[in-house]
Amino acid sequence: MATSTLGRPPGVARSGGSRSYRKRHRLWPFVLIGVLLLVLAGTGVWLVGFSSVLGTERVEVRGTDAVAPRDVERTAAVPLGLPLARQDIDAIAARVADLTPIESVEVTRQYPDTVVIVIKERAAVIGVADGDGYLLLDRHGVPYRSVKKLPTGVLLAEFNAGNTPLAEQLGVVAAALPGELIQKLDRLTATSESSIELELKNGDRVIWGTADDSALKATVLLDLMKQKAKVYNVSAPRHPATR
């Protein structure tokens, strides 16, 4: 009996086509879902990053006291209308940080339309006589504001205000002093970073030395002042002395 090798039995061909059709039928919903997801993702990117729907409409400044909010806004120079997601918050923070009275700043996005600027202003710990007023310095020794009257709790300091390292050291000392001790003090004096002294209101004197271990020195001094003396030496706080 002769057989042909050129053709396929009819049943085999129909079976292969049916499987291919069923496979395509099962895949198309997944393809459609993938396309929809891509469309949604693209729309989301456009809405957030390029459309005016989530554009910046407001700037909110928090934490101001001595600094006027309008000055912060003007310095921040936030471009209104720009999509909130595209605001360069690091650049905004850097511009605001250039304001001398500001110690630190944090900038965040608050959806749907607001840039929030939270600042921490410098707090004065010492003041230096300056003409008919005083120049205030913070705990870092940074001069940032002139006033007519020395605020309560701010210590008068006598030193060369142009000596930045010394100003930093005096800032450290003043920031470490508890309120109980500040009430007893009249002023800080220094001619160098290792010759810091405190003058009490009753005329007694405290040899402080450097700004190192200032918190410990303050604690030791309060205990030492229970003794009657005219001079208290806490420059070596673990070996204090009086005379």
Side-chain angles (χ1 to χ4, degrees), residues 5 11 27 42 93 99 133 153 178 207:
T5 60
L27 285 177
L99 289 171
I207 300 174

Side-chain angles (χ1 to χ4, degrees), residues 121-138:
E121 295 181 346
R122 298 186 188 278
V125 294
I126 58 175
V128 183
D130 183 30
D132 59 351
Y134 299 90
L135 180 62
L136 301 182
L137 291 79
D138 73 350

Side-chain angles (χ1 to χ4, degrees), residues 6 21 67 78 84 94 100 103 109 131 139 168 199-201 213 222:
L6 299 177
Y21 173 78
V67 183
V78 177
L84 199 58
T100 305
E103 180 176 329
R109 304 178 184 90
R139 62 192 178 96
E168 293 174 354
E199 291 185 12
L200 279 66
K201 292 177 180 178
D213 299 320
L222 282 173

Side-chain angles (χ1 to χ4, degrees), residues 56 76-79 82-97 105-111 114-118:
T56 306
V78 177
L82 185 71
L84 199 58
R86 293 173 58 194
Q87 292 287 358
D88 189 341
I89 59 176
D90 290 336
I92 294 170
R95 290 194 290 269
V96 174
V105 58
E106 180 181 4
V107 180
T108 58
R109 304 178 184 90
Q110 182 173 290
Y111 286 93
T114 305
V115 169
V116 178
I117 302 174
V118 180

Side-chain angles (χ1 to χ4, degrees), residues 19 27 31 35 50 64 67 100-102 113 119 133 142 158 179 187 190 195 199 204 207 236:
R19 285 197 300 271
L27 285 177
V31 174
V35 171
F50 298 94
T64 56
V67 183
T100 305
I102 293 178
D113 59 8
I119 68 171
V142 177
E158 293 182 350
R187 68 191 65 206
S195 64
E199 291 185 12
D204 295 345
I207 300 174

